[in-house]
Amino acid sequence: MTASRIALVTGANQGLGRALVEGLAARLGPQDVVLLTGRSHGRVAEAAREVARAPGTRSRVEGRVLDVSDREAIARLAGELRTRHGGVDIVLSNAIARLLPEDSQAERADEFIDVSNTATHAILRSFGPVLRPGGRLLVVASTLGTLGHLDPRLHHLFDGASLDEVEDAVESWRCAVHAGTAEEAGWPRWLNVPSKVAQVAAVRAVAAERRHGDLADGTLIASVCPGMVDTATSRPWFSDYSQARSPARAARAVLDLVLAERVEPDHYGELVRFGEVLPWYSGTPPTEQDRILTP
């Protein structure tokens, strides 16, 4: 990577995103800049001040307001970083819309899909071209992101798909949810399952186009699973937290991948959990009794 690195974390006001910013600011150098982003100006500014003043912080921390559901805002920020810094070195796409078990999946579908999927597509499209050689672009997903968690009738929509085709599949799913035909077509009732599969499929699509050049210059594009994390978003879905990691501990495993000196070719374009690749075709469709925010 370059002598002065620029890092960006979305969904960084709290939870895992906040821990990723804190970890980067502690492990990068004084010449580096970590951009903490979120939708609320007040929360972003407060979080950036707190991290900047923390005892272990070494890098400069800046807060940026970014609504990840706004594709034009993502493109503008990417353009700004290209103009000001010549690009970006680390992008961690982490934003997620909080969803409670009692929420109506159909009523929350647009917000959830926009924050998790539309944002992922926009970040890949806008930040992929400004990622400097040796950079890292990681999308935070989960074990639900493997293809086997979907009904086999849906596999063709994501397996070997281009980014355009993944986007089309997501919009088809969104329309089916609103039309009340999603379950009949094989889509899981719970939004998080197809959302995570689509995130990983989008990463795989972009990585397939860039693999040769990226591996040649040490660039990594991948999705990452942080494991079960004890946060306000995930806590309502679990009854047993004995295996849950704190955001700080979960962030360390992600940052070990981000800051590794050498890119493992087997990791490129894949879903990585604690340094191991989760096979794309693994997993089984969840039942109604399964907890859906599986780590």
Side-chain angles (χ1 to χ4, degrees):
M1 293 187 181
T2 60
S4 179
R5 289 175 285 188
I6 308 299
L8 170 74
V9 183
T10 68
N13 288 331
Q14 58 187 340
L16 178 62
R18 171 72 173 265
L20 289 169
V21 169
E22 292 170 347
L24 283 170
R27 294 172 66 170
L28 294 180
Q31 75 278 12
D32 301 324
V33 180
V34 181
L35 301 178
L36 179 158
T37 72
R39 288 189 291 185
S40 166
H41 180 275
R43 289 197 294 270
V44 166
E46 180 180 8
R49 283 195 300 268
E50 290 175 353
V51 177
R53 295 171 181 170
T57 295
R58 301 173 67 233
S59 304
R60 190 162 86 245
V61 179
E62 297 181 3
R64 293 294 185 90
V65 175
L66 178 66
D67 181 353
V68 295
S69 66
D70 184 342
R71 287 176 287 190
E72 292 183 358
I74 290 173
R76 284 195 300 271
L77 180 56
E80 176 191 336
L81 295 180
R82 184 202 289 271
T83 300
R84 289 185 58 190
H85 303 287
V88 63
D89 299 283
I90 298 169
V91 178
L92 301 181
S93 178
N94 173 69
I96 186 172
R98 184 176 299 180
L99 185 66
L100 299 175
E102 62 268 24
D103 288 343
S104 164
Q105 302 285 305
E107 291 177 3
R108 296 293 308 282
D110 284 332
E111 178 189 5
F112 193 89
I113 293 170
D114 285 344
V115 172
S116 296
N117 299 103
T118 303
T120 295
H121 305 155
I123 287 170
L124 289 167
R125 289 189 183 281
S126 294
F127 282 97
V130 304
L131 190 66
R132 294 196 281 210
R136 308 285 189 261
L137 196 167
L138 300 184
V139 173
V140 177
S142 81
T143 56
L144 291 176
T146 57
L147 191 63
H149 288 102
L150 285 183
D151 187 302
R153 288 177 290 170
L154 303 172
H155 287 190
H156 71 282
L157 296 174
F158 298 104
D159 193 19
S162 67
L163 184 54
D164 284 344
E165 289 169 337
V166 173
E167 288 181 316
D168 288 345
V170 168
E171 291 311 309
S172 175
W173 163 48
R174 186 202 300 262
C175 290
V177 171
H178 289 309
T181 60
E183 289 187 66
E184 180 183 345
W187 295 104
R189 175 180 301 179
W190 302 102
L191 298 173
N192 206 43
V193 179
S195 174
K196 294 304 181 188
V197 173
Q199 283 184 311
V200 175
V203 171
R204 290 173 65 86
V206 171
E209 296 180 352
R210 299 176 46 125
R211 182 181 180 89
H212 180 75
D214 282 350
L215 289 180
D217 62 24
T219 299
L220 177 64
I221 293 180
S223 45
V224 62
C225 171
M228 184 188 292
V229 187
D230 188 355
T231 66
T233 297
S234 59
R235 182 166 281 278
W237 293 89
F238 296 101
S239 57
D240 181 5
Y241 262 83
S242 60
Q243 302 301 314
R245 297 179 168 217
S246 68
R249 186 181 174 203
R252 283 198 294 272
V254 175
L255 295 178
D256 286 345
L257 180 64
V258 171
L259 299 175
E261 292 186 9
R262 178 179 178 274
V263 172
E264 296 292 338
D266 289 347
H267 289 167
Y268 188 86
E270 301 291 346
L271 175 59
V272 182
R273 183 187 186 199
F274 308 143
E276 300 292 332
V277 171
L278 297 178
W280 172 232
Y281 297 104
S282 64
T284 57
T287 65
E288 287 191 31
Q289 288 73 36
D290 288 334
R291 290 297 191 182
I292 299 306
L293 290 180
T294 303

